Amino acid sequence: MKRPILTISAIAAAAGLALTGCSGAGSAQQDEDGPVTLSVSVWNYDQTPEFKALFDAFEAEHPDITIEPVDILADDYSDKVTTMLAGGDRTDVLTMKNVTDYARYANRGQLVDVGDVVDDIGADKLAGIEPFALDDTYYAAPYRQDFWLLYYNKAIFDAAGIEHPDNLTWDEYADIAAKLTSGDGDSKVYGTYNHYWRSVVQSIAAAQTGGDLISGDYGFMQDQYDLTLDLQEKGYALDYGTAKTQQISYRTMFETGKAAMMPMGTWYIAGIAQSIETGATDVDWGVAQMPQLESGEETVTFGSPTAFAVNKNSTHQAAAKTFLEFAASEAGAKAIAAIGVVPAYQSDDVTAAFTALPTDDLSVKAFQEPKDVVLEMPVSEYSSDVSSILDEEHDLIMVGESDVDDAITKMQDRVKNDVLVD
């Protein structure tokens, strides 16, 4: 059966009709004794195979509940969900793409307390659960726990006679990027691709220097910005302006052989596996450890859990909680582990189900090796406002409108004077 997928315009229209017929959003729960259709917000549904894997597995166990995805463009996801919630939207389950958005929605009272779901599963079994505890209450349950690795194209390395990138420093990473860059125009192959998210620079820097992205002190970002800018200025990485303006897909860059290396999260393992299975790419790929500041250091990287939450305005809250419990449990974990997504739920059986990773020694070691996975963005009442400032200044740095020193000073001033004030 082909699953119906709601667009934002359709869900907005439905929400508008629902709101005209009631005195207050979320004021009544519908009878859930019979079949229920549960709407779930997702991003890039066709390119994010974990959602279909979870939904199919859930419907097989709960035939009276049908999942209807509300599909949103990935780059617009946070803004769209924020707007939806502000307008009284009734999408039942909301995927929390990051903990910054989660903290914002929970602090605004827009999510349902799901502590009972977490208790039933066992918080000690869920990696990445800590950021979701707000005043000893959980408003979401994590189902995925990602961390960042270095993806690389084995064929490009082998053709150049360069050893696969085991335990690189950032300087070695830059040197290899220079050596693997070739061609020009449409046939150009870049030594690396750094996606336009600010975390590619800022969260790496914070994790590996001990910096705090909420602190208002951002000198720790200097070296990582210098390296990233140098790579694009020398043409060893696609320039930020082109990537962001044209909304370049990191999947396209890597799967078409346009980039020899690429820092990216573990969620992409499932994406590559899907593309290879469907014949969209035949890239010969592997993963290595995230480069480090100094040679011989234990691997420190960053990551973030992904969770499901129940909309306070949902009229199917009981069914929504049933879905959350399935997604975060061992059953849901096995469903996504089977396609290469790292689940939050931890068990030997889940580990055994994870088969999408390449079996070469370097890939296996890189996947198992991180000593420390630092949260991508700390959770606090200031996270959302600070994140907006860091996004804005990152954009100005990467397009050359601000030099790094000036932008770091502006970040610090804006955060300290506009956000971290009594």
Side-chain angles (χ1 to χ4, degrees):
M1 178 185 72
K2 184 176 176 61
R3 177 176 285 112
I5 300 174
L6 295 183
T7 62
I8 285 298
S9 57
I11 200 72
L17 289 172
L19 287 171
T20 61
C22 65
S23 60
S27 60
Q29 283 288 295
Q30 291 183 359
D31 182 0
E32 296 186 5
D33 291 337
V36 173
T37 296
L38 204 62
S39 55
V40 181
S41 69
V42 301
W43 57 87
N44 292 11
Y45 181 80
D46 288 339
Q47 295 184 21
T48 313
E50 71 199 60
F51 293 128
K52 185 177 187 302
L54 267 179
F55 298 165
D56 286 350
F58 174 76
E59 289 177 345
E61 284 201 11
H62 299 274
D64 284 343
I65 303 177
T66 300
I67 301 294
E68 195 167 55
V70 179
D71 199 12
I72 303 171
L73 186 67
D75 286 335
D76 297 338
Y77 185 80
S78 294
D79 290 341
K80 292 289 188 183
V81 173
T82 299
T83 301
M84 288 161 61
L85 288 174
D89 180 84
R90 286 186 168 173
T91 299
D92 299 297
V93 176
L94 304 166
T95 310
M96 298 290 101
K97 196 174 184 183
N98 57 62
V99 293
T100 303
D101 290 337
Y102 164 73
R104 179 195 308 147
Y105 306 145
N107 285 323
R108 289 177 179 173
Q110 295 171 318
L111 307 178
V112 172
D113 179 348
V114 294
D116 53 339
V117 171
V118 173
D119 289 343
D120 285 347
I121 297 169
D124 60 322
K125 296 178 181 178
L126 296 174
I129 187 67
E130 294 83 3
F132 297 100
L134 296 178
D135 296 326
D136 298 321
T137 301
Y138 296 102
Y139 297 94
Y143 71 94
R144 197 178 90 187
Q145 172 61 46
D146 291 297
F147 60 92
W148 280 56
L149 298 157
L150 182 66
Y151 292 77
Y152 71 99
N153 186 312
K154 295 179 181 180
I156 294 176
F157 272 78
D158 293 344
I162 295 175
E163 291 185 5
H164 294 188
D166 189 4
N167 284 316
L168 297 181
T169 65
W170 285 108
D171 288 340
E172 291 168 340
Y173 163 82
D175 288 342
I176 291 174
K179 293 174 183 176
L180 294 180
T181 300
S182 63
D184 53 33
D186 292 340
S187 64
K188 183 167 185 175
V189 174
Y190 294 92
T192 193
Y193 175 67
N194 296 311
H195 201 48
Y196 44 79
W197 301 325
R198 66 170 176 79
S199 56
V200 179
V201 180
Q202 296 179 2
S203 295
I204 287 174
Q208 295 185 350
T209 67
D212 182 351
L213 291 171
I214 300 292
S215 68
D217 294 311
Y218 300 121
F220 64 84
M221 297 179 183
Q222 177 82 49
D223 290 345
Q224 200 68 30
Y225 268 117
D226 288 344
L227 178 140
T228 305
L229 289 168
D230 188 61
L231 285 170
Q232 76 171 22
E233 287 167 3
K234 291 178 177 176
Y236 305 148
L238 180 66
D239 70 279
Y240 177 92
T242 298
K244 189 165 186 182
T245 301
Q246 298 183 12
Q247 296 287 285
I248 298 295
S249 166
Y250 63 83
R251 291 184 59 161
T252 298
M253 287 294 295
F254 191 74
E255 292 171 24
T256 60
K258 292 293 186 181
M261 298 183 289
M262 182 178 71
M264 191 53 61
T266 49
W267 66 82
Y268 182 42
I269 292 171
I272 295 182
Q274 178 192 46
S275 292
I276 291 173
E277 182 179 353
T278 61
T281 184
D282 60 357
V283 62
D284 185 10
W285 67 287
V287 293
Q289 308 90 339
M290 184 69 80
Q292 301 294 299
L293 296 174
E294 301 291 340
S295 179
E297 290 185 344
E298 293 183 298
T299 302
V300 176
T301 185
F302 74 94
S304 184
T306 307
F308 289 116
V310 179
N311 185 353
K312 197 70 170 284
N313 289 332
S314 167
T315 55
H316 300 297
Q317 291 182 15
K321 282 189 173 185
T322 299
F323 172 75
L324 260 66
E325 184 158 4
F326 175 88
S329 72
E330 186 172 59
K334 286 180 179 179
I336 61 174
I339 63 166
V341 173
V342 182
Y345 189 96
Q346 306 287 297
S347 74
D348 291 341
D349 286 345
V350 170
T351 300
F354 196 93
T355 58
L357 187 75
T359 57
D360 63 277
D361 290 344
L362 177 53
S363 293
V364 172
K365 181 174 72 169
F367 190 77
Q368 297 175 340
E369 191 171 85
K371 168 183 175 290
D372 196 8
V373 178
V374 179
L375 190 62
E376 182 173 350
M377 182 71 180
V379 177
S380 85
E381 60 184 305
Y382 306 119
S383 297
S384 180
D385 291 335
V386 170
S387 184
S388 295
I389 292 171
L390 298 183
D391 277 333
E392 291 167 9
E393 297 299 336
H394 173 72
D395 196 66
L396 294 174
I397 291 171
M398 295 305 300
V399 298
E401 291 189 20
S402 291
D403 66 35
V404 179
D405 287 336
D406 288 345
I408 287 176
T409 298
K410 289 177 183 176
M411 286 182 205
Q412 294 176 161
D413 289 347
R414 293 180 65 190
V415 169
K416 289 177 179 178
N417 296 326
D418 298 344
V419 181
L420 304 180
V421 290
D422 295 330

